Amino acid sequence: MKLSLWHDGALLYEGSSNEDGRCPTLSEGRSLPAGAYRLQFLVADYFRAQGVALPDPPFLDVVSIDFGMTDDGHYHVPLLVSPFAYSTYRGN
């Protein structure tokens, strides 16, 4: 799935998750300061590429997750998504 990471209005990362749904290149060699961030996932494009018939317009097109990071280290932000719902949390 294509995704992007934003901080203070600046694009920090743009890429895709792997077949396991992870994005290891997002954090490679990258140290992020504490602050407010946004992850954006292009979910409609993903489901269309999987052959899922979506309404026009799709119920979910882009899912944005706004979250804050303190300086205490590793963040794992999973997105569980279907064409009509999503859930997220701070993982380990």
Side-chain angles (χ1 to χ4, degrees):
M1 180 179 307
K2 292 181 182 177
L3 62 111
S4 57
L5 177 66
W6 300 80
H7 176 61
D8 289 337
L11 178 63
L12 299 180
Y13 176 85
E14 197 169 37
S16 297
S17 58
N18 62 21
E19 289 188 15
D20 192 31
R22 297 179 185 274
C23 194
T25 58
L26 188 135
S27 61
E28 279 181 356
R30 187 181 320 260
S31 178
L32 299 175
Y37 290 84
R38 171 175 288 165
L39 276 169
Q40 289 187 313
F41 297 87
L42 280 65
V43 298
D45 288 352
Y46 169 78
F47 285 117
R48 284 188 191 108
Q50 302 303 308
V52 176
L54 298 177
D56 187 21
F59 182 69
L60 295 174
D61 188 2
V62 176
V63 171
S64 294
I65 301 171
D66 294 330
F67 63 99
M69 287 188 0
T70 61
D71 58 359
D72 67 355
H74 181 80
Y75 281 69
H76 177 73
V77 184
L79 174 68
L80 308 172
V81 66
S82 79
F84 301 100
Y86 68 92
S87 178
T88 190
Y89 57 93
R90 181 180 175 187
N92 294 328

